[in-house]
């Protein structure tokens, strides 16, 4: 458990540092990524990213303030808001995806080539199976 926690912390720090030049956080990256296809409410995106309601509102306020996303009324539920990525948000998201991809490639390059696919399958099986419940907080980040 300690090793997984250590790896997670180190990767999140590297991800945050990489995204800093874009002016977004890993949390904002996740929100933009999940909002990109469209049609999801801020509550749904919050659940997909493992973000509580209050933090989701703050994150969306920041994204809207930066012109990267906007909230629109849901046509089916007047209390809900759909999240839409703006054209500027699309550009930032594309750059964020490139940064995340480079970090992933760099990290995986430290493993022998034969072990990389096995590692990814194994960690995906853990997160999709035994660790899918989200632990004590009951929330499972999907990014």
């Amino acid at each position: 458990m300690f090793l997984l926690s250590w790896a997670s912390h180190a990767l999140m720090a590297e991800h945050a540092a990489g995204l800093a030049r874009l002016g977004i956080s890993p949390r904002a990256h996740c929100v933009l990524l999940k909002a990109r296809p469209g049609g999801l409410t801020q509550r749904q995106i919050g659940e997909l990213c493992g973000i509580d309601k209050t933090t989701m509102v703050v994150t969306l306020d920041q994204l809207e303030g930066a012109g990267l996303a906007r909230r629109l009324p849901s046509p089916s539920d007047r209390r809900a808001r759909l999240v839409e990525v703006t054209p500027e948000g699309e550009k930032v998201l594309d750059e964020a995806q490139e940064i995340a991809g480079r970090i992933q490639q760099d990290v995986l390059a430290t493993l022998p080539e034969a072990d990389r696919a096995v590692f990814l399958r194994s960690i995906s099986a853990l997160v999709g199976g035994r660790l899918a419940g989200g632990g004590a907080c009951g929330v499972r980040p999907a990014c």
Side-chain angles (χ1 to χ4, degrees):
M1 288 186 305
F2 179 73
L3 290 175
L4 286 173
S5 178
W6 189 349
S8 175
H9 179 73
L11 285 170
M12 286 302 287
E14 192 169 343
H15 190 205
L19 295 176
R21 72 174 183 80
L22 300 177
I24 65 170
S25 65
R27 179 177 27 247
H29 179 198
C30 188
V31 169
L32 289 172
L33 184 63
K34 297 304 178 185
R36 176 179 259 174
L40 294 178
T41 65
Q42 67 185 58
R43 183 186 59 76
Q44 291 169 318
I45 294 168
E47 289 173 0
L48 289 171
C49 293
I51 301 172
D52 65 78
K53 183 178 175 181
T54 301
T55 305
M56 183 64 177
V57 169
V58 170
T59 302
L60 282 172
D61 287 347
Q62 292 167 344
L63 288 170
E64 280 188 316
L68 304 178
R70 62 180 151 252
R71 287 173 268 206
L72 306 167
S74 169
S76 61
D77 182 353
R78 65 184 180 92
R79 298 166 296 165
R81 297 285 176 258
L82 301 177
V83 179
E84 179 181 81
V85 179
T86 66
E88 182 61 26
E90 290 283 350
K91 291 177 193 171
V92 168
L93 180 55
D94 287 342
E95 289 184 58
Q97 289 292 91
E98 288 177 20
I99 290 166
R102 280 194 303 270
I103 292 169
Q104 179 173 323
Q105 286 177 341
D106 187 48
V107 168
L108 290 177
T110 63
L111 295 174
E113 191 170 344
D115 294 346
R116 294 173 196 167
V118 173
F119 172 75
L120 289 173
R121 276 195 312 273
S122 298
I123 200 81
S124 294
L126 283 172
V127 171
R130 172 65 174 82
L131 302 178
C137 65
V139 176
R140 177 179 51 96
C143 296

